Structures are given as C-alpha cells and as structure tokens.
Amino acid sequence: MAEFSESPKDRPSEISELPDESQNSVSDFDPCTMRKTKPGLKRLFLTLTVLFSFFLGSPFLLKSIEIYRSPLPFRDIDSLSDSVGSSPLLFPCHFQAIFVGFDNFDAYDLGISIKHEMKKLTKHPVCGTCSDSNYTLSVTVDSGSGCARNYNAESTFMWRCGAIGEFDLGGGGDDDGVDEFLGSVLGSCEGFRKVYSVVVVNRGGEVRAVVGKYRHAWIVGGVLEEGMNAVVARVAETFVKVFVNGGKEEGSIHGEFMPVGADGRIVLSFNLLNADPTDWIYGWDFQRIDEILLAPVIKALGPVANISVESQVLYHTPKSSFSYWDEKWDSYIFSTKDLPFFVNSNEWHLDTSIAAGGRSKILQFVVYIPSAKECPLLLQLPNGEISVTNAFISPMWGGVAVWNPPGCLRDSESKHPARHTISPQDLQEVFEIFMGQLRQLFGLKSDSLYVGASGTTNLLASERGFTEWELDVLSRQHTCFNLVSCATTLGSLSRLVQSLPRMIIMDEIGKQVKFSLEAAKLTRSNASLGIYDASAVSSRQARSLAEDAFFHPSIMSVSYYSFEHCFAVYSPFFLPVSMHVLLAAFREWRRYKQETAKYLAWKEKAKVAAS
C-alpha cells in the first residue's frame, strides 16, 4: 500500500499546478467557519427521539402516581353550612286556647294578649323551637250562648261548642279521665297537624293546672280572681315553656349532650350486680320487663334513635366508695360526695356489648345489690335526707339504682347460697326509676311538676315513659342538633379534602356525601311543614351518612403528602437521567445550528467567487 500513499511535501506542488481561480478559492476556505457539505440529521434525530421518548413517558408516570378523587359537591356543602349557621332551624307550631265561662270577653283581644306574652318569652328563639313568625294561634271563647273565635281560627282548629258541659272538668280527682276526655275531643280536631291546646275553665275554687299525656293542658278554678292578665300569662307560659321548650330548667342537659350515637343508635345495657355472691345471689325476669315496660318506650323513641336492649348478671362486683353506719337511719350511708367513686370500673365489666360497634352510644343502667356487710345501703342527699329512689345518674354514661334485699337477711353459711329472683313488684319499681333516669339523660324532667313564673303545673306521666308533647320536643331538638352536626361534619370534610390534593376520595364517599345532603334537604322540608317525626328520622340519616363519609376507612388509613414531597421522592430516580438527555439534546441542537451556519457561509463564498 506504499505506492498509494503520498507525502505532504507533494501536496503543495499539486495545488500549485491548479488553475489560478481554484487556487484562490481553496486558499479562501476556512475549515473553522466553513464546510462544503450539508450537515446530516441522524445525530439530531437520534437525540430528539430519546428526548421525546422521555416526554411521552411522562403521562404514564403521572398516571401511575395519580390519586383518584370522586367529585364532591363543595358548593352544596357550603350552602348548607351557611344556611344552618346564619339562621336557626325553627318549626311551625300551632296553638289553640279555649276559654270556658268567660262571658263578655273578646276572642280577638285575647289572641292579641296571648301573642304579646308569647313574644316576650321568645325574644331569642333557639334552634329546634318556634318563633313568633312561624306559629299560629287560635282562640275560642265558649260561652253558654255559643262560641266566638278570633280571625286566625281555621277549620282544623274548630272546637266543638259546649263540649265541656259533657264532662266535669273541675273535679280534680281524676286527671287521667279528664285527659282521656280532652284527648278524644281535641284529637279529632287536629287533622294532620300537631295542635297544642290549653283549655281554661272558670268555675271558682282553687286554681289547678295540668298538662296531659297528649298535646293539651287544662286550667280549672277561679282564674278570674287572679286577674285576666295572670290568666293570659299562664296560658302563654304553658305554650312556650312547656309545649315548646319541654319544661326544661336551668342546668338541664343540653342538646349537644343527648345520649344518641353518631350513627343514631343507642344500646340500653341493663346490668344486675351481686356485690358478694357468698351472701346472696339474685337474678331477674328481664324478658318480662323487656316485653311489658321497655318495648313501648323503644317504639316511642323510634324517630329519635334506633334503640336496642341487652342485659347481663354479674357477680363479685363491689363498689369503689366506702359507706358508714348511721344510727339515726339504722343503715349504711353513702353520700353524694361518694358518687364519683361508686362505679368500680376495674370490677364492673359492663362494656361487653358487640351490638354497639362503631359510633353507637351505650347507656348503662345498673342495679347494685350490696353485700351483707353494708346492707341496707342508702343514699344521703346534701340536705341530709335519704333519697327516695336510692339512685343517681351519670350524664352520657347511665344510671345506678341500689336495691337492698328484703330484710337484708343473709343466707346460711353454706358455700353455695340459694338463688333468688327479684319480685315483679320490686323489679317494676326499679325500672320506673330507670325510666326517670332515661328521661333525665334526654334532658326532660324526672318529676311530675313544673314550677314556672305563673305557678305550679302538674305533668301527667305516660305509660310509655314519654308523653306525646315531650316526644315532639325531643324530635325537634334532635332534628336541630343532627342537622347542625351534619353541616359541621360535611364542612370539615370539604375543607380537609380541598387542603389535601393527594387525598383519595372513593366513589362511596361521594355517594355518602350526596345522600347526606339529600337527607338534610329533606329534613328542612319536613321541618318547614311541621312533620316532626319525619324530620327527626331524616336528620338522623343525614348525620349518620356525614359521619360515615368523614370516617371512611380509605381516608383514615393512608398518610397524605404534598406534591413537593412527591417530587422529592421521584426526582432522585428521574432527574439525573433527564438532565443528561436535555443537555445532550441542547448540545446537539446547538452543534447542528453551527454546522449549518458553516455550510451556508461556504455556499455564500462560493456564490461570490463564481460571480
């Protein structure tokens, strides 16, 4: 191959042999700024292909780390929160006042006076009550010659004139009979509405005021002797303080402390505790109590809560507090100061229910049978007297009733004492105490008296434990509390979801929020129509669905992080390679532009030389 090689010394001689023009062009060619061939696109194409492959893979990367979020109706949630927070939920109420034996009194003037007194008692209406703008008042003056009514009287409020003459309303001895009579007369006048009625009978004698089991009350006696203003004030107070507010006093349990779980369920757990079974062993016929006493109560409270019942008998369950012997009462005494230490949480294994899973509320009702060492055991009140019921309650927990065996006679010294059963009479008395405790836990009065500014009113008790007007009060209050709780929970969920873009929102959560909003809307619609039971049921559903959405397992089981955290996690894997690819593409593009500029410079030079 030596014959084909040439030395550098021969090349200048060849160039010198070229024509003069060619020699000039070659001498003007600068390889640093010119090139005679057009630059190729292969290197640039390969580099851009690698770059575009990274860009095309980015959507797949983003899809792989995408968080699924079901759309939530944030506007509807904000609208519900604003409407609930701006104005309290008020119910329409219908009142009827019937005056018997009030000759020469105008029904229209009486209606104006009663409304004026009611307006003074409802200056600041609270959620779940009635205001002066959404109640109606019908006044009827029943005299011997006929009936006079005010302008607000409607067909559904019509009182049958002379109906009082068919029954002795002023006897005062048979309040239950009067109650049933007025229930038959006034109940047929209500129609589809719930009308609260007060019948005032002027017959002389001592004034008695009684509120019945239904939705009516009666005031009988020499009411005019107290003055007409006092009569009007008493009627207005009965309407507002009793029928609307439930006769609650200062210190009663408020609506936010109602013993109903977030899912609208209550478990009534009844426990019979034998402190020392070596002294005596007692059992009970709980099935009979459940069928006779508890079943009507559970049915009556159905719109407010879904209630289930369970029972158990425990042994070796001493109390934590101490008692002392009192010669005056010939008994062992424990005072109200000992109540916080009475329940022995270490020995009383009460929370054994599997029916109260989730957010259900358990109310414990305990029958405590003391040992022979401290029998009889009595509760002493702060005033030094002995408690009539020998029982106490613990808000949001339940109640305890101490039952002393008859005679406190210990069985024989046998290691296996005989088994006894609490008599039906004693068991009924104990469960009547429990019904009073349950009423207190729901914020109602446990006694049968209401003491107001206008006087004392007797409150008749119902066989179901709750009268109809008390159930209306509970329905209204629970509707209000559930609706406020629903709006608060959904508002918290909305703010939480919007603050965490990486939060997983399942379709189930979206459906629960949607159904909760629909139930809340239905609650407001039923409340505006005065359908108390339906509004309580729908509000319970709205709150339960909102709680289910907020505490959904898919929300609680994952730790959420920001986009910056996600970038910090993935950047060590993709950023180094991506930077090299980007720099290579940039360098190759810059090189291609430079080589193209060299080629164009040579063409321009050649063009000038040819011309």
Side-chain angles (χ1 to χ4, degrees):
M1 298 184 59
E3 63 267 23
F4 297 101
S5 62
E6 57 184 1
S7 63
K9 295 180 180 180
D10 299 333
R11 292 178 185 172
S13 61
E14 293 179 0
I15 295 176
S16 62
E17 296 175 357
L18 294 175
D20 295 338
E21 295 180 1
S22 299
Q23 291 181 5
N24 293 334
S25 62
V26 172
S27 61
D28 294 338
F29 177 76
D30 185 5
C32 296
T33 58
M34 300 179 187
R35 62 175 296 165
K36 296 181 180 181
T37 59
K38 187 176 181 180
L41 297 174
K42 182 184 291 186
R43 290 179 56 181
L44 180 62
F45 177 76
L46 291 176
T47 306
L48 294 179
T49 301
V50 176
L51 178 62
F52 287 136
S53 65
F54 270 80
F55 288 153
L56 292 176
S58 298
F60 296 98
L61 174 63
L62 296 177
K63 189 67 177 178
S64 64
I65 62 174
E66 181 184 16
I67 298 298
Y68 179 76
R69 294 169 63 89
S70 177
L72 297 182
F74 296 112
R75 291 186 178 180
D76 295 340
I77 295 175
D78 294 339
S79 176
L80 175 63
S81 300
D82 294 340
S83 61
V84 171
S86 60
S87 60
L89 180 65
L90 301 177
F91 289 78
C93 298
H94 308 286
F95 304 105
Q96 179 179 209
I98 299 118
F99 294 88
V100 180
F102 289 79
D103 298 335
N104 301 324
F105 282 93
D106 184 68
Y108 181 76
D109 293 338
L110 289 175
I112 293 178
S113 300
I114 295 174
K115 277 193 171 184
H116 178 70
E117 291 295 328
M118 294 176 65
K119 189 173 182 179
K120 291 194 297 184
L121 296 175
T122 57
K123 289 183 178 180
H124 304 287
V126 297
C127 186
T129 60
C130 309
S131 67
D132 56 351
S133 61
N134 63 344
Y135 69 76
T136 58
L137 175 63
S138 171
V139 178
T140 302
V141 178
D142 188 353
S143 60
S145 58
C147 288
R149 297 182 174 88
N150 64 341
Y151 295 125
N152 292 331
E154 302 179 11
S155 59
T156 56
F157 285 26
M158 297 297 286
W159 164 262
R160 183 160 51 89
C161 294
I164 293 298
E166 304 172 4
F167 196 86
D168 183 14
L169 206 64
D174 186 15
D175 288 337
D176 290 331
V178 175
D179 187 39
E180 294 297 332
F181 168 73
L182 291 179
S184 62
V185 174
L186 296 171
S188 60
C189 301
E190 290 186 5
F192 68 93
R193 300 185 181 186
K194 291 179 172 61
V195 183
Y196 302 99
S197 305
V198 175
V199 180
V200 185
V201 181
N202 181 33
R203 286 191 175 178
E206 182 184 0
V207 178
R208 295 184 67 253
V210 183
V211 177
K213 299 188 295 279
Y214 303 102
R215 297 182 180 91
H216 55 257
W218 62 93
I219 305 173
V220 182
V223 292
L224 285 180
E225 298 176 2
E226 300 177 354
M228 199 60 199
N229 292 333
V231 176
V232 169
R234 191 157 195 171
V235 172
E237 185 179 18
T238 303
F239 281 145
V240 177
K241 295 297 184 179
V242 179
F243 287 134
V244 175
N245 296 340
K248 293 186 178 182
E249 299 175 352
E250 206 64 36
S252 298
I253 301 175
H254 298 285
E256 58 267 23
F257 299 109
M258 289 295 181
V260 180
D263 57 355
R265 297 177 181 271
I266 302 177
V267 177
L268 302 181
S269 179
F270 294 91
N271 308 270
L272 178 60
L273 273 57
N274 292 273
D276 191 352
T278 60
D279 296 332
W280 41 60
I281 298 177
Y282 276 89
W284 56 6
D285 186 7
F286 186 82
Q287 184 176 359
R288 177 177 177 274
I289 293 297
D290 187 13
E291 295 175 354
I292 297 177
L293 297 180
L294 295 180
V297 176
I298 295 174
K299 183 178 180 181
L301 293 175
V304 176
N306 184 7
I307 302 178
S308 59
V309 177
E310 65 178 19
S311 67
Q312 62 179 345
V313 179
L314 300 178
Y315 306 95
H316 300 284
T317 53
K319 60 183 178 62
S320 298
S321 61
F322 295 96
S323 58
Y324 62 92
W325 178 259
D326 192 295
E327 295 291 343
K328 176 183 177 181
W329 300 105
D330 195 23
S331 302
Y332 289 92
I333 301 297
F334 70 103
S335 64
T336 54
K337 298 180 181 179
D338 302 323
L339 297 184
F341 312 101
F342 191 93
V343 177
N344 189 349
S345 58
N346 294 326
E347 302 292 341
W348 296 11
H349 303 290
L350 305 179
D351 297 330
T352 59
S353 174
I354 60 174
R359 296 178 300 278
S360 300
K361 180 64 182 177
I362 304 179
L363 292 181
Q364 306 287 352
F365 293 96
V366 176
V367 180
Y368 179 78
I369 303 178
S371 63
K373 299 177 182 179
E374 52 179 5
C375 185
L377 183 63
L378 302 180
L379 172 61
Q380 189 176 38
L381 301 177
N383 58 5
E385 297 296 326
I386 297 300
S387 173
V388 177
T389 60
N390 207 27
F392 62 93
I393 68 168
S394 177
M396 300 301 294
W397 183 85
V400 177
V402 178
W403 184 80
N404 297 296
C408 289
L409 298 178
R410 183 178 179 181
D411 291 343
S412 61
E413 298 296 334
S414 173
K415 296 182 179 180
H416 303 286
R419 292 182 176 270
H420 307 276
T421 302
I422 301 178
S423 64
Q425 295 78 11
D426 293 339
L427 197 59
Q428 183 170 355
E429 292 178 359
V430 170
F431 272 82
E432 287 177 356
I433 295 174
F434 284 157
M435 288 302 102
Q437 293 177 342
L438 183 62
R439 288 171 54 84
Q440 285 184 292
L441 292 173
F442 273 96
L444 299 175
K445 297 176 65 65
S446 60
D447 54 9
S448 59
L449 289 178
Y450 168 73
V451 181
S454 302
T456 303
T457 303
N458 295 325
L459 307 177
L460 296 186
S462 174
E463 298 82 1
R464 302 184 299 174
F466 298 86
T467 61
E468 291 189 2
W469 62 269
E470 288 175 334
L471 293 174
D472 292 343
V473 172
L474 292 180
S475 296
R476 291 194 299 265
Q477 291 181 346
H478 276 265
T479 298
C480 174
F481 173 66
N482 290 334
L483 189 62
V484 172
S485 178
C486 170
T488 303
T489 303
L490 290 180
S492 301
L493 178 62
S494 175
R495 291 188 295 270
L496 179 65
V497 170
Q498 295 183 69
S499 63
L500 296 175
R502 303 285 301 172
M503 174 179 285
I504 299 175
I505 307 298
M506 306 296 292
D507 288 333
E508 184 178 0
I509 298 176
K511 292 180 181 179
Q512 290 171 343
V513 172
K514 176 184 176 182
F515 294 151
S516 177
L517 290 172
E518 292 178 354
K521 183 179 179 180
L522 181 61
T523 298
R524 299 179 70 88
S525 175
N526 291 331
S528 63
L529 298 176
I531 309 176
Y532 302 154
D533 294 347
S535 61
V537 173
S538 56
S539 69
R540 193 177 69 196
Q541 294 175 350
R543 181 191 177 192
S544 177
L545 289 169
E547 295 284 341
D548 291 341
F550 189 83
F551 293 101
H552 195 273
S554 65
I555 292 180
M556 304 300 295
S557 61
V558 180
S559 298
Y560 303 105
Y561 46 85
S562 62
F563 180 79
E564 290 80 3
H565 179 77
C566 181
F567 178 79
V569 170
Y570 287 101
S571 59
F573 298 97
F574 299 99
L575 188 59
V577 179
S578 301
M579 290 299 297
H580 283 291
V581 172
L582 289 174
L583 290 176
F586 176 73
R587 291 171 58 187
E588 184 60 30
W589 175 255
R590 187 176 61 176
R591 186 199 66 81
Y592 177 76
K593 291 180 63 177
Q594 291 177 351
E595 297 300 323
T596 303
K598 291 181 180 181
Y599 174 70
L600 293 177
W602 163 252
K603 286 187 64 176
E604 186 65 25
K605 192 73 173 177
K607 184 177 180 181
V608 173
S611 60

